[in-house]
Amino acid sequence: KLLTYSRFGKTFRVGDRLDYYIPKQAIRDKIAELEKIHEKQAWTQKQGFYYDLATNVEQNLLQGVLDTNSEGDVVYKLTKNKKLPIQITSSMVKTIASLIFYVKYIAKQGETIIIDEPEMNLHPTNQVLFAETIIKFIKAGLRFIISTHSDYIVREINKYIMLNNVMEKNKICPDGFNKELALSINDVDMYYFYPTGKDQKVSVERLKRDSENCYSIASIDETISQQNEELNILFEKLYS
């Protein structure tokens, strides 16, 4: 059974050749989506269940505040007097903006949010911060389905699973770690999607945890390992 999904109003089957000549339209659609939030509810007067947590995340991750002006246009406030239209902000701000707006004003307790490849426009440091953000939302009652190729995000999830293991064993949080982010294995599951056969059908494998209850994704680990080995060979050639 082939996966199907909708993109820009048209349904594609896995394996179809897609044309990616419409990124500008995708950006316009995303901005329009953000601005509809302002139109649908007076969010300046109606704060959502996760408003305070989302505001804290917004300030730490984006180093600014997302707002709308009197015309309903989305703006990014760096300081009280410095505002930028969302259209000219970084890809990271545009990527995270819809999540922040949704969680601040619309999300209800226990909802499931689907995010596709959040690492696309994020520096590795921000990928780590994003993973921590997701953990904070999970601990507050939200649920997420996330597709990712990011080793940074997977490692960060593993780190806080392991922190939980350490705290359960030693009854204390090690120095330098945030105990509020300790993640129970009951709150995480990982699946590996991969093409099989000539028809490129997609198979799904539930990943097994290792002895520390963490996850390893072979296709990512093998690529990193190969890069390290090749760099080590060149390093030895250079300095031998």
Side-chain angles (χ1 to χ4, degrees):
K1 189 174 181 180
L2 293 180
L3 235 58
T4 62
Y5 65 98
S6 180
R7 183 182 178 92
F8 306 111
K10 181 179 178 181
T11 299
F12 296 88
R13 293 164 62 88
V14 169
D16 284 352
R17 183 171 179 176
L18 304 183
D19 295 319
Y20 288 95
Y21 61 88
I22 46 177
K24 291 182 180 179
Q25 182 60 45
I27 292 172
R28 286 195 290 269
D29 290 346
K30 179 62 65 175
I31 292 168
E33 174 188 323
L34 291 173
E35 291 174 349
K36 283 180 182 177
I37 293 176
H38 174 80
E39 296 170 4
K40 288 183 178 179
Q41 65 183 81
W43 54 264
T44 54
Q45 300 176 9
K46 185 178 180 181
Q47 299 176 356
F49 185 87
Y50 297 102
Y51 180 87
D52 291 338
L53 176 57
T55 299
N56 179 265
V57 166
E58 175 183 45
Q59 293 169 350
N60 291 330
L61 187 59
L62 298 183
Q63 303 295 311
V65 177
L66 293 163
D67 203 348
T68 57
N69 59 25
S70 57
E71 287 76 36
D73 300 322
V74 180
V75 295
Y76 173 58
K77 295 168 62 176
L78 294 167
T79 63
K80 185 176 181 179
N81 298 317
K82 189 172 183 179
K83 301 179 182 179
L84 296 175
I86 193 72
Q87 293 93 329
I88 64 171
T89 61
S90 68
S91 295
M92 184 196 79
V93 173
K94 286 194 282 283
T95 297
I96 300 298
S98 55
L99 174 63
I100 295 297
F101 262 99
Y102 186 83
V103 174
K104 282 177 76 173
Y105 303 112
I106 298 177
K108 296 178 176 60
Q109 192 173 19
E111 279 191 356
T112 297
I113 298 174
I114 301 175
I115 304 176
D116 182 38
E117 299 184 7
E119 69 272 14
M120 288 294 288
N121 297 305
L122 298 181
H123 183 276
T125 299
N126 287 328
Q127 291 182 44
V128 170
L129 290 174
F130 178 83
E132 293 179 354
T133 295
I134 295 301
I135 293 173
K136 289 178 182 177
F137 288 148
I138 290 173
K139 303 278 282 187
L142 286 172
R143 289 292 177 262
F144 290 86
I145 298 173
I146 299 173
S147 73
T148 182
H149 301 278
S150 171
D151 184 53
Y152 298 103
I153 291 176
V154 174
R155 283 173 178 263
E156 201 68 7
I157 297 297
N158 282 336
K159 181 176 80 176
Y160 286 109
I161 291 174
M162 194 173 295
L163 175 62
N164 190 69
N165 296 341
V166 170
M167 289 174 59
E168 286 183 350
K169 177 184 177 182
N170 300 332
K171 309 303 180 185
I172 191 171
C173 181
D175 292 341
F177 291 88
N178 183 355
K179 66 179 181 180
E180 302 300 327
L181 295 178
L183 193 58
S184 169
I185 58 172
N186 297 321
D187 288 331
V188 184
D189 228 338
M190 290 195 187
Y191 295 81
Y192 179 48
F193 289 69
Y194 57 97
T196 55
K198 294 181 180 180
D199 55 5
Q200 293 293 289
K201 288 184 178 180
V202 175
S203 295
V204 183
E205 174 189 347
R206 186 179 184 181
L207 294 178
K208 296 179 180 178
R209 302 186 183 100
D210 61 21
S211 57
E212 286 78 33
N213 286 321
C214 295
Y215 294 92
S216 175
I217 301 177
S219 62
I220 295 178
D221 293 342
E222 288 168 3
T223 300
I224 294 173
S225 178
Q226 181 179 348
Q227 281 187 312
N228 289 337
E229 289 177 8
E230 291 172 348
L231 284 170
N232 286 335
I233 291 172
L234 294 174
F235 185 84
E236 290 176 3
K237 298 290 185 183
L238 186 62
Y239 291 101
S240 62

